[in-house]
Amino acid sequence: MKQLEGKNVLITGGSTGIGRATAIRFADEGANVAINYHSSETEAEITLEETQDACSIIREKGCREMLVQGNVANEEDVKRIFREILTAWGRLDVLINNAGIQTANPTHEMAMDAYDRVLAVNLRGAFLCAREAIRHFLDRGGGGIILNNTSVHETIPKPQYAPYAASKAGLGALSRTLALEYAGKGIRVNTVAPGAIITPINREWTDDPEKKAVVEGHIPMGRGGKPEEIAAVFAFLASDEAAYITGQTIYVDGGLTLYPDFRTPWSSGS
Ligand code: NAD
């Protein structure tokens, strides 16, 4: 079933990992996909290469796609990203705020620019894109869809990753607020909260068999998730099957949010 036939979709940070899998899934569902990527000096080559890979796969499936470069944390870039899409396609139906970064440091050693960078991409960036999408949805009428990629750390604390946890909790609150603010205008806003997914953001443990075993030992289902398993939930939430769902977070985490330490009862009771 082609659930998203003809829908125009923007995916931020769409050139790698979950964004890339989502771009491919949406194209497979018949959507036209605008892939936002950000070429920083450090990741330019990898991002460009993986963007081109993603695009060539989408092209094989026979739908329109476009690349839109830009830093989601930059207001002028975000306005330009939307201008480019609307000039090319005339309308946008779905925004997926997927771009995200993290940085690890004990909080007492955390530099403010590291904190600010994470908040700027994960929260300010999502806000800027959502605001631009809402302006367009209101202008053209007929509603629209905003999907946000948070994390299990929308609720689970993450020591040494304070800005990441704060940004994802903030993004959850932003999603629910926008959902309530615009429900009457036909704009649905929902959130997908992935657990530990095998993507570049997690190279530190996915590429190390010992660390991977430790991480997977904490997951009730015993394995890291696949980017495609997150993409499937974005596709569902963007489809008419989810027409009555707004303001919700769906955790896609192999059971990580089920308090895994309680797998074995702590007391025998009597
Ligand atoms: P990833 O590193 O492959 O994806 C992040 C993407 O965001 C990259 O393409 C990167 O270039 C892009 N990006 C970074 N800064 C940007 C900016 N300023 N402007 C535009 N794009 C920018 O890793 P991923 O796992 O696919 O992460 C995607 C999202 O999923 C992130 O928001 C991440 O927090 C979230 N997430 C991932 C996991 C996981 O285990 N992989 C778990 C929970 C949540």
Side-chain angles (χ1 to χ4, degrees), residues 108-255:
H108 63 282
E109 292 171 5
M110 179 99 44
M112 277 322 292
D113 69 329
Y115 179 91
D116 290 342
R117 218 171 27 249
V118 174
L119 268 288
V121 176
N122 298 8
L123 190 52
R124 175 185 160 85
F127 177 83
L128 285 171
C129 291
R131 188 183 64 171
E132 224 46 39
I134 290 166
R135 285 174 175 167
H136 168 64
F137 296 157
L138 295 177
D139 263 5
R140 66 152 167 70
I145 292 166
I146 298 174
L147 303 176
N148 296 313
N149 190 344
T150 58
S151 164
V152 288
H153 299 295
E154 184 184 326
T155 49
I156 300 177
K158 194 172 188 188
Q160 303 197 11
Y161 289 79
Y164 187 76
S167 71
K168 295 301 189 176
L171 184 53
L174 177 66
S175 298
R176 291 184 290 279
T177 298
L178 298 181
L180 183 56
E181 194 169 340
Y182 294 102
K185 300 287 184 190
I187 299 172
R188 294 195 295 107
V189 186
N190 287 297
T191 296
V192 177
I197 311 301
I198 315 282
T199 72
I201 209 172
N202 285 327
R203 276 202 181 101
E204 195 254 336
W205 63 263
T206 56
D207 295 353
D208 177 331
E210 270 178 38
K211 285 186 184 165
K212 189 162 181 276
V214 170
V215 171
E216 293 187 330
H218 290 289
I219 302 170
M221 288 182 71
R223 64 171 178 87
K226 300 178 206 153
E228 294 76 16
E229 290 170 317
I230 306 302
V233 183
F234 278 127
F236 163 68
L237 286 171
S239 77
D240 287 346
E241 303 288 326
Y244 203 49
I245 302 177
T246 197
Q248 302 305 307
T249 293
I250 299 186
Y251 289 86
V252 187
D253 64 358

Side-chain angles (χ1 to χ4, degrees), residues 15-38:
S15 63
T16 61
I18 293 169
R20 180 173 186 270
T22 304
I24 293 165
R25 174 62 192 259
F26 273 63
D28 199 33
E29 295 285 347
N32 305 311
V33 186
I35 301 165
N36 157 252
Y37 69 98
H38 177 230

